[in-house]
Amino acid sequence: MRQPCLHLTDVPSPGRWLGGVGHYIVVGMSDTTQISLGARGWMVLLTLCGATFMTGLDYSIITVALPEIGSSLGFASPDALQWVVTGCLLPTAALMPLFGRLSDITGRRRLFIAGVCTFTGFSLLAGLAPGAALLITARVGQGIAAAAIGPTALALMTAAFPEGPQRTRALGVNGALLSLGFVIGTIGGGVVTSGLNWRWTMLILFGIGLLVLVGAVTVMQDTRHSRTTRLDVPGAVLASGGLFAFVYGITTGNTSGWLSVPTLTALIGAAVLLGGFLAAEARHLEPLVPLHLLRRTTVKWGMTTGLVTFGMCGGATLLLSIYMQQVVGWTALQTGLGFAAEGVAALAAGSVAARWISARGAAFAITLGLTVQGLGTMLMALLPADGNLTLLLGSSAAMGFGHVLTVVAVVTTITSGLDESDQGVAGSLAQMPTFIGSIGVAGLSAVVAARSAALAPTTTRTLATLGGLHTAFLVAGAVALTGALLGGRALRRAPAGLPTDVMAT
Protein backbone atom coordinates (compact mmCIF):
# COMPACT_ATOMS: atom_id res chain seq x y z
CA MET A 1 0.00 0.00 0.00
CA ARG A 2 1.24 3.45 -0.81
CA GLN A 3 2.38 5.16 2.37
CA PRO A 4 1.45 8.83 2.81
CA CYS A 5 4.20 11.40 2.88
CA LEU A 6 4.82 13.20 6.14
CA HIS A 7 2.84 16.42 5.85
CA LEU A 8 4.60 19.28 7.61
CA THR A 9 3.12 22.45 8.99
CA ASP A 10 3.46 25.99 7.75
CA VAL A 11 3.93 25.09 4.11
CA PRO A 12 4.82 28.21 2.11
CA SER A 13 2.52 29.63 -0.51
CA PRO A 14 2.42 27.62 -3.73
CA GLY A 15 5.14 28.11 -6.29
CA ARG A 16 4.54 29.10 -9.86
CA TRP A 17 5.83 27.20 -12.88
CA LEU A 18 6.72 29.84 -15.43
CA GLY A 19 7.57 27.48 -18.28
CA GLY A 20 10.94 26.43 -19.58
CA VAL A 21 13.46 24.48 -17.59
CA GLY A 22 13.48 25.26 -13.92
CA HIS A 23 11.64 28.59 -13.87
CA TYR A 24 10.09 27.78 -10.53
CA ILE A 25 9.66 30.74 -8.23
CA VAL A 26 8.17 30.73 -4.77
CA VAL A 27 5.46 33.41 -4.71
CA GLY A 28 3.39 34.76 -1.86
CA MET A 29 6.47 34.94 0.36
CA SER A 30 8.59 37.98 0.98
CA ASP A 31 11.43 35.87 2.35
CA THR A 32 12.02 32.24 1.49
CA THR A 33 13.87 31.80 4.75
CA GLN A 34 10.39 31.47 6.29
CA ILE A 35 10.08 27.94 4.90
CA SER A 36 8.96 26.04 8.02
CA LEU A 37 9.43 22.34 8.58
CA GLY A 38 7.32 22.05 11.72
CA ALA A 39 8.29 20.37 15.01
CA ARG A 40 7.91 16.78 13.77
CA GLY A 41 9.66 17.69 10.53
CA TRP A 42 12.67 18.96 12.46
CA MET A 43 12.77 15.75 14.53
CA VAL A 44 12.77 13.68 11.35
CA LEU A 45 15.40 15.92 9.78
CA LEU A 46 17.66 15.84 12.83
CA THR A 47 17.47 12.04 12.93
CA LEU A 48 18.37 11.64 9.27
CA CYS A 49 21.01 14.37 9.34
CA GLY A 50 22.43 12.84 12.51
CA ALA A 51 23.05 9.64 10.57
CA THR A 52 24.61 11.58 7.71
CA PHE A 53 26.79 13.55 10.14
CA MET A 54 27.86 10.33 11.83
CA THR A 55 29.06 8.70 8.62
CA GLY A 56 30.84 11.88 7.50
CA LEU A 57 32.52 12.20 10.88
CA ASP A 58 33.68 8.59 10.71
CA TYR A 59 35.85 9.05 7.63
CA SER A 60 37.76 12.07 8.91
CA ILE A 61 38.04 11.49 12.65
CA ILE A 62 39.77 8.15 12.19
CA THR A 63 42.28 9.56 9.68
CA VAL A 64 43.75 11.97 12.23
CA ALA A 65 44.10 9.13 14.75
CA LEU A 66 45.96 6.75 12.39
CA PRO A 67 49.48 7.34 13.78
CA GLU A 68 48.37 6.57 17.34
CA ILE A 69 46.36 3.54 16.14
CA GLY A 70 49.45 2.20 14.38
CA SER A 71 51.64 2.47 17.45
CA SER A 72 48.95 1.25 19.85
CA LEU A 73 47.93 -1.88 17.96
CA GLY A 74 51.27 -2.66 16.35
CA PHE A 75 50.43 -2.44 12.66
CA ALA A 76 53.23 -3.96 10.59
CA SER A 77 53.50 -1.19 7.98
CA PRO A 78 51.89 2.06 6.79
CA ASP A 79 50.23 0.10 3.97
CA ALA A 80 48.57 -2.18 6.51
CA LEU A 81 47.52 0.79 8.62
CA GLN A 82 45.84 2.39 5.60
CA TRP A 83 43.33 -0.47 5.63
CA VAL A 84 41.76 1.12 8.70
CA VAL A 85 40.44 3.73 6.25
CA THR A 86 40.23 1.67 3.05
CA GLY A 87 38.46 -1.21 4.81
CA CYS A 88 35.53 1.11 5.50
CA LEU A 89 35.57 3.01 2.19
CA LEU A 90 35.52 0.02 -0.17
CA PRO A 91 32.31 -1.71 1.00
CA THR A 92 30.50 1.62 1.27
CA ALA A 93 31.21 2.52 -2.33
CA ALA A 94 30.64 -1.00 -3.63
CA LEU A 95 27.36 -1.79 -1.87
CA MET A 96 25.55 1.53 -2.07
CA PRO A 97 23.57 0.78 -5.29
CA LEU A 98 22.53 -2.60 -3.87
CA PHE A 99 21.25 -1.12 -0.62
CA GLY A 100 19.60 1.74 -2.50
CA ARG A 101 17.46 -0.72 -4.44
CA LEU A 102 16.89 -2.93 -1.39
CA SER A 103 15.42 0.06 0.41
CA ASP A 104 12.87 0.41 -2.40
CA ILE A 105 11.95 -3.26 -2.06
CA THR A 106 12.02 -4.01 1.67
CA GLY A 107 11.10 -0.66 3.20
CA ARG A 108 13.41 2.25 3.91
CA ARG A 109 12.79 2.71 7.62
CA ARG A 110 13.54 -0.97 8.27
CA LEU A 111 16.82 -0.89 6.35
CA PHE A 112 17.78 2.48 7.86
CA ILE A 113 17.32 1.16 11.41
CA ALA A 114 19.25 -2.00 10.55
CA GLY A 115 22.08 0.11 9.12
CA VAL A 116 22.23 2.39 12.17
CA CYS A 117 22.18 -0.59 14.56
CA THR A 118 24.97 -2.29 12.63
CA PHE A 119 27.07 0.87 12.41
CA THR A 120 26.62 1.56 16.12
CA GLY A 121 27.55 -1.98 17.11
CA PHE A 122 30.66 -2.08 14.96
CA SER A 123 31.71 1.36 16.27
CA LEU A 124 31.70 -0.07 19.78
CA LEU A 125 33.65 -3.11 18.57
CA ALA A 126 36.20 -0.85 16.85
CA GLY A 127 36.63 1.23 20.00
CA LEU A 128 37.30 -1.87 22.09
CA ALA A 129 39.33 -3.82 19.51
CA PRO A 130 42.44 -5.36 21.13
CA GLY A 131 44.28 -5.94 17.87
CA ALA A 132 44.69 -4.80 14.26
CA ALA A 133 42.70 -7.65 12.67
CA LEU A 134 39.60 -7.06 14.77
CA LEU A 135 39.77 -3.29 14.20
CA ILE A 136 39.89 -3.72 10.41
CA THR A 137 37.02 -6.22 10.62
CA ALA A 138 34.98 -3.69 12.56
CA ARG A 139 35.82 -0.99 10.02
CA VAL A 140 34.56 -3.22 7.21
CA GLY A 141 31.34 -3.68 9.18
CA GLN A 142 31.01 0.09 9.57
CA GLY A 143 31.49 0.49 5.83
CA ILE A 144 28.75 -2.01 5.01
CA ALA A 145 26.41 -0.27 7.43
CA ALA A 146 27.23 3.16 5.98
CA ALA A 147 26.27 1.83 2.53
CA ALA A 148 22.82 1.03 3.94
CA ILE A 149 22.45 4.30 5.83
CA GLY A 150 23.37 6.74 3.04
CA PRO A 151 20.76 6.02 0.33
CA THR A 152 17.98 5.11 2.78
CA ALA A 153 18.44 8.33 4.77
CA LEU A 154 18.24 10.35 1.57
CA ALA A 155 15.20 8.41 0.31
CA LEU A 156 13.44 8.87 3.66
CA MET A 157 14.21 12.58 3.48
CA THR A 158 12.79 13.00 -0.02
CA ALA A 159 9.68 11.07 1.06
CA ALA A 160 9.19 13.10 4.25
CA PHE A 161 9.52 16.53 2.66
CA PRO A 162 7.45 17.55 -0.39
CA GLU A 163 9.38 18.35 -3.53
CA GLY A 164 10.09 22.07 -3.63
CA PRO A 165 11.30 24.57 -1.01
CA GLN A 166 10.82 22.28 2.01
CA ARG A 167 12.82 19.44 0.50
CA THR A 168 15.50 21.82 -0.72
CA ARG A 169 15.86 23.29 2.75
CA ALA A 170 16.11 19.81 4.27
CA LEU A 171 18.77 18.85 1.74
CA GLY A 172 20.60 22.09 2.56
CA VAL A 173 20.79 21.20 6.24
CA ASN A 174 21.83 17.66 5.33
CA GLY A 175 24.59 18.83 2.97
CA ALA A 176 25.95 21.29 5.52
CA LEU A 177 26.08 18.68 8.27
CA LEU A 178 27.72 16.13 5.98
CA SER A 179 30.56 18.53 5.20
CA LEU A 180 30.65 19.73 8.79
CA GLY A 181 31.08 16.11 9.88
CA PHE A 182 34.27 15.86 7.82
CA VAL A 183 35.61 19.15 9.22
CA ILE A 184 34.68 18.46 12.84
CA GLY A 185 36.20 15.01 12.47
CA THR A 186 39.48 16.59 11.41
CA ILE A 187 39.44 18.98 14.37
CA GLY A 188 37.93 16.54 16.87
CA GLY A 189 40.29 13.74 15.90
CA GLY A 190 43.24 15.89 16.93
CA VAL A 191 41.58 17.04 20.14
CA VAL A 192 40.42 13.56 21.18
CA THR A 193 43.67 11.77 20.40
CA SER A 194 45.69 14.50 22.13
CA GLY A 195 43.55 14.66 25.28
CA LEU A 196 42.33 11.05 25.54
CA ASN A 197 43.22 8.27 23.08
CA TRP A 198 42.19 7.04 19.66
CA ARG A 199 39.55 4.65 21.02
CA TRP A 200 37.32 7.58 21.88
CA THR A 201 37.02 8.46 18.20
CA MET A 202 35.02 5.25 17.76
CA LEU A 203 33.20 5.45 21.09
CA ILE A 204 31.92 8.92 20.15
CA LEU A 205 30.41 7.38 17.01
CA PHE A 206 28.80 4.71 19.20
CA GLY A 207 27.13 7.42 21.30
CA ILE A 208 25.88 9.33 18.25
CA GLY A 209 24.56 6.08 16.79
CA LEU A 210 22.48 5.42 19.90
CA LEU A 211 20.88 8.88 19.64
CA VAL A 212 20.12 8.40 15.95
CA LEU A 213 18.61 5.00 16.69
CA VAL A 214 16.24 6.49 19.28
CA GLY A 215 15.06 9.05 16.73
CA ALA A 216 14.65 6.43 14.00
CA VAL A 217 12.48 4.23 16.20
CA THR A 218 10.30 7.03 17.59
CA VAL A 219 9.69 9.53 14.77
CA MET A 220 10.45 7.85 11.43
CA GLN A 221 7.65 6.55 9.24
CA ASP A 222 8.26 3.80 6.71
CA THR A 223 8.07 4.45 2.98
CA ARG A 224 7.93 1.75 0.35
CA HIS A 225 6.89 2.89 -3.10
CA SER A 226 8.12 0.07 -5.28
CA ARG A 227 7.02 -1.77 -8.35
CA THR A 228 9.99 -4.11 -7.98
CA THR A 229 9.19 -7.59 -6.67
CA ARG A 230 12.62 -9.21 -6.81
CA LEU A 231 16.23 -8.18 -6.64
CA ASP A 232 18.45 -8.03 -9.72
CA VAL A 233 21.14 -10.38 -8.39
CA PRO A 234 23.42 -10.34 -11.48
CA GLY A 235 23.30 -6.55 -11.56
CA ALA A 236 24.08 -6.39 -7.85
CA VAL A 237 27.10 -8.67 -8.24
CA LEU A 238 28.46 -6.84 -11.28
CA ALA A 239 27.89 -3.35 -9.85
CA SER A 240 29.35 -4.16 -6.43
CA GLY A 241 32.34 -5.96 -7.90
CA GLY A 242 33.02 -3.22 -10.44
CA LEU A 243 32.79 -0.40 -7.92
CA PHE A 244 34.93 -2.31 -5.42
CA ALA A 245 37.62 -2.87 -8.05
CA PHE A 246 37.49 0.74 -9.23
CA VAL A 247 37.82 2.31 -5.78
CA TYR A 248 40.50 -0.22 -4.82
CA GLY A 249 42.51 0.62 -7.95
CA ILE A 250 42.22 4.36 -7.30
CA THR A 251 43.11 4.18 -3.61
CA THR A 252 46.14 1.95 -4.15
CA GLY A 253 47.45 3.60 -7.33
CA ASN A 254 49.52 6.21 -5.50
CA THR A 255 51.20 3.70 -3.21
CA SER A 256 51.63 0.72 -5.55
CA GLY A 257 52.16 2.75 -8.73
CA TRP A 258 49.65 3.45 -11.50
CA LEU A 259 51.33 0.95 -13.83
CA SER A 260 51.73 -1.76 -11.21
CA VAL A 261 50.07 -5.12 -11.77
CA PRO A 262 47.60 -4.82 -8.84
CA THR A 263 46.45 -1.34 -9.88
CA LEU A 264 46.07 -2.15 -13.58
CA THR A 265 44.34 -5.44 -12.78
CA ALA A 266 41.84 -3.68 -10.52
CA LEU A 267 41.08 -0.88 -12.99
CA ILE A 268 40.76 -3.20 -15.99
CA GLY A 269 38.57 -5.52 -13.93
CA ALA A 270 36.41 -2.56 -12.92
CA ALA A 271 35.93 -1.54 -16.55
CA VAL A 272 34.93 -5.09 -17.53
CA LEU A 273 32.54 -5.56 -14.62
CA LEU A 274 30.87 -2.16 -14.95
CA GLY A 275 30.55 -2.64 -18.70
CA GLY A 276 28.94 -6.01 -18.05
CA PHE A 277 26.65 -4.36 -15.53
CA LEU A 278 25.35 -1.87 -18.09
CA ALA A 279 24.80 -4.65 -20.62
CA ALA A 280 22.96 -6.78 -18.06
CA GLU A 281 20.76 -3.89 -16.94
CA ALA A 282 19.65 -3.24 -20.51
CA ARG A 283 18.18 -6.78 -20.68
CA HIS A 284 16.83 -7.18 -17.14
CA LEU A 285 13.11 -6.61 -16.61
CA GLU A 286 13.64 -5.25 -13.07
CA PRO A 287 17.18 -3.81 -13.09
CA LEU A 288 19.15 -2.79 -10.03
CA VAL A 289 19.67 0.66 -11.56
CA PRO A 290 17.14 1.40 -14.33
CA LEU A 291 19.02 2.72 -17.34
CA HIS A 292 16.37 5.36 -17.93
CA LEU A 293 17.62 7.00 -14.72
CA LEU A 294 21.20 7.06 -15.96
CA ARG A 295 20.06 8.54 -19.28
CA ARG A 296 18.30 11.48 -17.62
CA THR A 297 20.18 14.74 -18.09
CA THR A 298 19.52 15.59 -14.46
CA VAL A 299 21.04 12.36 -13.20
CA LYS A 300 24.08 12.03 -15.45
CA TRP A 301 25.08 15.70 -15.21
CA GLY A 302 24.16 15.82 -11.54
CA MET A 303 26.49 12.90 -10.87
CA THR A 304 29.20 14.45 -13.08
CA THR A 305 29.17 17.78 -11.27
CA GLY A 306 28.94 15.93 -7.96
CA LEU A 307 32.07 13.99 -8.86
CA VAL A 308 33.83 17.25 -9.73
CA THR A 309 32.95 19.01 -6.48
CA PHE A 310 33.71 16.03 -4.22
CA GLY A 311 36.87 15.04 -6.07
CA MET A 312 38.38 18.52 -6.20
CA CYS A 313 37.30 19.60 -2.70
CA GLY A 314 38.42 16.31 -1.13
CA GLY A 315 41.75 16.46 -2.95
CA ALA A 316 42.37 20.10 -2.11
CA THR A 317 41.50 19.49 1.56
CA LEU A 318 44.11 16.73 1.74
CA LEU A 319 46.66 19.00 0.06
CA LEU A 320 45.89 21.78 2.54
CA SER A 321 46.65 19.35 5.34
CA ILE A 322 50.01 18.58 3.72
CA TYR A 323 50.70 22.29 3.34
CA MET A 324 49.94 23.08 6.97
CA GLN A 325 51.93 20.18 8.41
CA GLN A 326 54.82 19.58 6.00
CA VAL A 327 55.41 23.12 4.71
CA VAL A 328 54.37 25.43 7.55
CA GLY A 329 55.08 22.90 10.30
CA TRP A 330 51.82 22.92 12.23
CA THR A 331 50.79 20.15 14.61
CA ALA A 332 47.85 17.86 13.87
CA LEU A 333 45.66 19.87 16.26
CA GLN A 334 46.66 23.20 14.69
CA THR A 335 45.98 21.73 11.27
CA GLY A 336 42.51 20.65 12.34
CA LEU A 337 41.74 24.13 13.63
CA GLY A 338 42.98 25.52 10.31
CA PHE A 339 39.89 23.98 8.70
CA ALA A 340 37.50 25.82 11.05
CA ALA A 341 36.63 28.46 8.45
CA GLU A 342 35.68 25.73 5.99
CA GLY A 343 33.26 24.31 8.54
CA VAL A 344 31.64 27.68 9.26
CA ALA A 345 31.30 28.33 5.53
CA ALA A 346 29.70 24.90 5.07
CA LEU A 347 27.00 25.81 7.59
CA ALA A 348 26.46 29.17 5.92
CA ALA A 349 26.05 27.55 2.50
CA GLY A 350 23.58 25.03 3.87
CA SER A 351 21.50 27.83 5.37
CA VAL A 352 21.16 29.79 2.12
CA ALA A 353 21.07 26.93 -0.39
CA ALA A 354 17.30 26.39 -0.20
CA ARG A 355 16.60 30.09 -0.68
CA TRP A 356 18.88 30.42 -3.70
CA ILE A 357 17.76 27.20 -5.34
CA SER A 358 14.07 28.06 -4.89
CA ALA A 359 14.63 31.54 -6.31
CA ARG A 360 17.11 30.89 -9.10
CA GLY A 361 17.20 27.14 -9.68
CA ALA A 362 19.55 24.23 -9.06
CA ALA A 363 21.50 24.79 -12.29
CA PHE A 364 22.30 28.33 -11.18
CA ALA A 365 23.37 27.09 -7.74
CA ILE A 366 25.64 24.43 -9.27
CA THR A 367 27.26 27.01 -11.56
CA LEU A 368 27.74 29.49 -8.72
CA GLY A 369 28.90 26.88 -6.24
CA LEU A 370 31.53 25.33 -8.49
CA THR A 371 32.71 28.79 -9.55
CA VAL A 372 33.22 29.90 -5.95
CA GLN A 373 34.85 26.57 -5.10
CA GLY A 374 37.16 26.84 -8.11
CA LEU A 375 38.22 30.42 -7.41
CA GLY A 376 38.80 29.67 -3.72
CA THR A 377 40.93 26.66 -4.59
CA MET A 378 43.00 28.61 -7.12
CA LEU A 379 43.70 31.27 -4.47
CA MET A 380 45.50 28.57 -2.49
CA ALA A 381 48.23 28.68 -5.13
CA LEU A 382 49.28 31.97 -3.48
CA LEU A 383 49.92 30.42 -0.06
CA PRO A 384 53.56 31.15 0.97
CA ALA A 385 56.07 28.86 2.62
CA ASP A 386 55.92 30.75 5.92
CA GLY A 387 52.10 30.67 6.07
CA ASN A 388 49.39 33.28 5.66
CA LEU A 389 46.49 32.66 8.03
CA THR A 390 44.16 35.20 6.41
CA LEU A 391 44.63 33.74 2.94
CA LEU A 392 44.35 30.19 4.27
CA LEU A 393 41.08 30.82 6.09
CA GLY A 394 39.60 32.91 3.28
CA SER A 395 40.42 30.50 0.47
CA SER A 396 39.32 27.40 2.40
CA ALA A 397 36.08 29.13 3.41
CA ALA A 398 35.33 29.98 -0.22
CA MET A 399 36.04 26.40 -1.25
CA GLY A 400 33.83 25.00 1.52
CA PHE A 401 30.97 27.39 0.80
CA GLY A 402 30.97 26.65 -2.92
CA HIS A 403 31.28 22.92 -2.29
CA VAL A 404 28.26 22.63 0.01
CA LEU A 405 26.11 24.88 -2.22
CA THR A 406 26.97 22.59 -5.13
CA VAL A 407 26.31 19.41 -3.15
CA VAL A 408 22.82 20.55 -2.11
CA ALA A 409 21.97 21.55 -5.68
CA VAL A 410 23.36 18.28 -7.06
CA VAL A 411 21.29 16.13 -4.70
CA THR A 412 18.21 18.24 -5.45
CA THR A 413 18.83 17.80 -9.16
CA ILE A 414 19.31 14.02 -9.05
CA THR A 415 16.36 13.22 -6.77
CA SER A 416 13.76 15.60 -8.25
CA GLY A 417 11.05 14.65 -10.68
CA LEU A 418 11.37 10.90 -10.05
CA ASP A 419 8.85 8.22 -9.21
CA GLU A 420 8.85 7.37 -5.52
CA SER A 421 9.75 3.76 -6.38
CA ASP A 422 13.13 4.98 -7.64
CA GLN A 423 14.05 7.26 -4.74
CA GLY A 424 16.16 4.64 -2.96
CA VAL A 425 18.36 3.93 -5.96
CA ALA A 426 18.39 7.66 -6.77
CA GLY A 427 19.71 8.27 -3.27
CA SER A 428 22.55 5.85 -3.91
CA LEU A 429 23.38 7.59 -7.20
CA ALA A 430 23.33 10.99 -5.48
CA GLN A 431 25.79 9.80 -2.83
CA MET A 432 28.04 7.82 -5.15
CA PRO A 433 30.27 10.84 -6.03
CA THR A 434 31.15 11.17 -2.35
CA PHE A 435 33.11 7.91 -2.53
CA ILE A 436 34.12 7.77 -6.20
CA GLY A 437 35.51 11.27 -5.60
CA SER A 438 38.64 9.56 -4.29
CA ILE A 439 39.77 9.68 -7.91
CA GLY A 440 40.27 13.42 -7.40
CA VAL A 441 42.46 12.83 -4.36
CA ALA A 442 44.58 10.37 -6.32
CA GLY A 443 44.83 12.63 -9.37
CA LEU A 444 45.85 15.74 -7.45
CA SER A 445 48.33 13.77 -5.37
CA ALA A 446 49.91 12.57 -8.62
CA VAL A 447 50.19 16.18 -9.81
CA VAL A 448 51.95 17.15 -6.58
CA ALA A 449 54.38 14.25 -6.86
CA ALA A 450 55.24 14.96 -10.50
CA ARG A 451 55.72 18.71 -10.05
CA SER A 452 57.69 18.32 -6.81
CA ALA A 453 60.01 15.82 -8.48
CA ALA A 454 60.60 18.25 -11.36
CA LEU A 455 61.49 21.08 -8.94
CA ALA A 456 63.57 19.01 -6.53
CA PRO A 457 66.96 19.36 -8.33
CA THR A 458 66.82 23.17 -8.24
CA THR A 459 65.38 24.01 -4.81
CA THR A 460 64.84 22.75 -1.26
CA ARG A 461 62.56 19.86 -0.45
CA THR A 462 60.04 22.16 1.27
CA LEU A 463 59.88 24.58 -1.65
CA ALA A 464 59.62 21.70 -4.11
CA THR A 465 56.64 20.36 -2.17
CA LEU A 466 55.09 23.82 -2.09
CA GLY A 467 55.52 24.16 -5.84
CA GLY A 468 53.79 20.83 -6.36
CA LEU A 469 50.94 21.89 -4.10
CA HIS A 470 50.52 25.20 -5.94
CA THR A 471 50.25 23.39 -9.27
CA ALA A 472 47.69 20.95 -7.91
CA PHE A 473 45.59 23.78 -6.45
CA LEU A 474 45.51 25.44 -9.86
CA VAL A 475 44.49 22.17 -11.50
CA ALA A 476 41.73 21.57 -8.92
CA GLY A 477 40.40 25.08 -9.41
CA ALA A 478 40.46 24.77 -13.19
CA VAL A 479 38.56 21.47 -13.08
CA ALA A 480 35.91 23.01 -10.81
CA LEU A 481 35.50 26.02 -13.11
CA THR A 482 35.21 23.72 -16.12
CA GLY A 483 32.52 21.75 -14.30
CA ALA A 484 30.67 24.98 -13.56
CA LEU A 485 30.70 25.95 -17.22
CA LEU A 486 29.80 22.59 -18.78
CA GLY A 487 27.53 21.25 -16.06
CA GLY A 488 25.59 24.47 -15.62
CA ARG A 489 25.04 24.81 -19.36
CA ALA A 490 23.89 21.20 -19.77
CA LEU A 491 21.44 21.43 -16.87
CA ARG A 492 19.99 24.73 -18.04
CA ARG A 493 19.26 23.09 -21.38
CA ALA A 494 17.62 20.03 -19.82
CA PRO A 495 14.13 19.22 -21.16
CA ALA A 496 11.30 20.89 -19.33
CA GLY A 497 9.65 18.75 -16.69
CA LEU A 498 8.62 19.05 -13.10
CA PRO A 499 9.38 22.30 -11.30
CA THR A 500 12.43 20.92 -9.56
CA ASP A 501 13.63 18.77 -12.44
CA VAL A 502 16.79 20.84 -12.62
CA MET A 503 15.59 24.31 -11.77
CA ALA A 504 17.41 26.94 -13.78
CA THR A 505 17.06 30.50 -14.77
Side-chain angles (χ1 to χ4, degrees):
M1 179 179 296
R2 184 181 179 90
Q3 297 289 337
C5 290
L6 175 63
H7 295 289
L8 306 175
T9 61
D10 300 321
V11 179
S13 301
R16 178 177 300 161
W17 179 242
L18 302 180
V21 179
H23 290 78
Y24 181 74
I25 299 179
V26 179
V27 297
M29 296 175 58
S30 59
D31 184 358
T32 55
T33 59
Q34 298 304 311
I35 300 169
S36 177
L37 304 182
R40 183 178 178 84
W42 276 110
M43 290 296 296
V44 171
L45 183 59
L46 288 175
T47 298
L48 297 174
C49 288
T52 300
F53 175 82
M54 176 176 68
T55 55
L57 182 68
D58 177 46
Y59 289 107
S60 56
I61 198 170
I62 197 70
T63 302
V64 179
L66 283 179
E68 185 179 338
I69 292 174
S71 60
S72 173
L73 298 184
F75 276 82
S77 67
D79 288 345
L81 181 60
Q82 189 59 34
W83 276 98
V84 175
V85 176
T86 305
C88 186
L89 175 64
L90 287 177
T92 304
L95 297 176
M96 193 164 281
L98 170 61
F99 282 121
R101 180 50 82 192
L102 276 177
S103 74
D104 292 330
I105 298 173
T106 64
R108 292 158 190 161
R109 178 177 179 270
R110 181 184 305 171
L111 188 57
F112 178 75
I113 291 177
V116 173
C117 284
T118 303
F119 187 93
T120 303
F122 276 112
S123 295
L124 178 61
L125 180 62
L128 301 177
L134 189 57
L135 175 61
I136 293 177
T137 300
R139 294 291 292 162
V140 171
Q142 285 179 306
I144 295 172
I149 292 171
T152 52
L154 197 55
L156 285 167
M157 193 174 299
T158 57
F161 300 98
E163 189 167 321
Q166 281 196 340
R167 180 181 295 179
T168 305
R169 186 181 186 188
L171 293 175
V173 175
N174 185 67
L177 287 179
L178 174 62
S179 294
L180 192 62
F182 284 103
V183 175
I184 289 182
T186 303
I187 300 173
V191 173
V192 170
T193 54
S194 298
L196 299 169
N197 62 61
W198 70 267
R199 296 185 183 278
W200 282 96
T201 62
M202 295 292 98
L203 296 178
I204 288 172
L205 293 173
F206 170 72
I208 297 174
L210 291 179
L211 293 176
V212 172
L213 186 59
V214 170
V217 171
T218 56
V219 303
M220 295 304 306
Q221 296 180 1
D222 201 6
T223 59
R224 189 195 316 194
H225 306 275
S226 181
R227 297 183 301 268
T228 304
T229 57
R230 59 192 177 92
L231 181 66
D232 173 17
V233 176
V237 172
L238 290 169
S240 299
L243 289 170
F244 184 96
F246 178 75
V247 176
Y248 176 80
I250 292 300
T251 54
T252 60
N254 278 335
T255 55
S256 301
W258 291 103
L259 297 179
S260 66
V261 173
T263 300
L264 288 177
T265 301
L267 294 179
I268 293 172
V272 171
L273 290 171
L274 293 177
F277 166 73
L278 294 176
E281 297 303 271
R283 297 191 302 269
H284 204 283
L285 295 178
E286 296 172 343
L288 184 75
V289 180
L291 293 186
H292 70 84
L293 287 182
L294 297 178
R295 295 190 188 104
R296 288 173 62 97
T297 301
T298 53
V299 172
K300 62 185 178 184
W301 277 103
M303 292 184 68
T304 299
T305 52
L307 181 61
V308 169
T309 189
F310 277 110
M312 296 304 101
C313 184
T317 299
L318 173 64
L319 300 186
L320 271 184
S321 178
I322 293 174
Y323 168 76
M324 287 185 270
Q325 294 187 70
Q326 296 186 16
V327 177
V328 183
W330 287 3
T331 65
L333 179 57
Q334 289 173 320
T335 299
L337 294 174
F339 289 110
E342 186 176 340
V344 173
L347 285 176
S351 67
V352 301
R355 190 185 339 172
W356 291 2
I357 293 173
S358 296
R360 300 296 301 276
F364 166 82
I366 287 174
T367 302
L368 178 62
L370 280 175
T371 300
V372 173
Q373 177 182 329
L375 294 176
T377 307
M378 295 184 85
L379 280 176
M380 296 174 188
L382 301 177
L383 289 169
D386 57 351
N388 184 321
L389 185 60
T390 301
L391 180 58
L392 173 66
L393 295 178
S395 59
S396 62
M399 181 181 70
F401 183 92
H403 170 65
V404 172
L405 180 59
T406 305
V407 169
V408 176
V410 162
V411 176
T412 301
T413 297
I414 294 175
T415 58
S416 294
L418 301 179
D419 190 281
E420 286 296 335
S421 63
D422 289 327
Q423 283 295 346
V425 70
S428 69
L429 295 177
Q431 298 217 8
M432 191 61 61
T434 308
F435 306 98
I436 305 300
S438 59
I439 190 173
V441 176
L444 294 179
S445 298
V447 171
V448 174
R451 181 57 178 164
S452 298
L455 294 174
T458 59
T459 187
T460 65
R461 180 177 180 179
T462 298
L463 291 180
T465 300
L466 181 61
L469 293 172
H470 284 169
T471 302
F473 287 137
L474 291 174
V475 170
V479 171
L481 292 175
T482 302
L485 177 63
L486 299 180
R489 178 181 298 177
L491 290 173
R492 283 193 296 271
R493 293 178 177 177
L498 295 175
T500 50
D501 189 6
V502 184
M503 296 175 289
T505 57

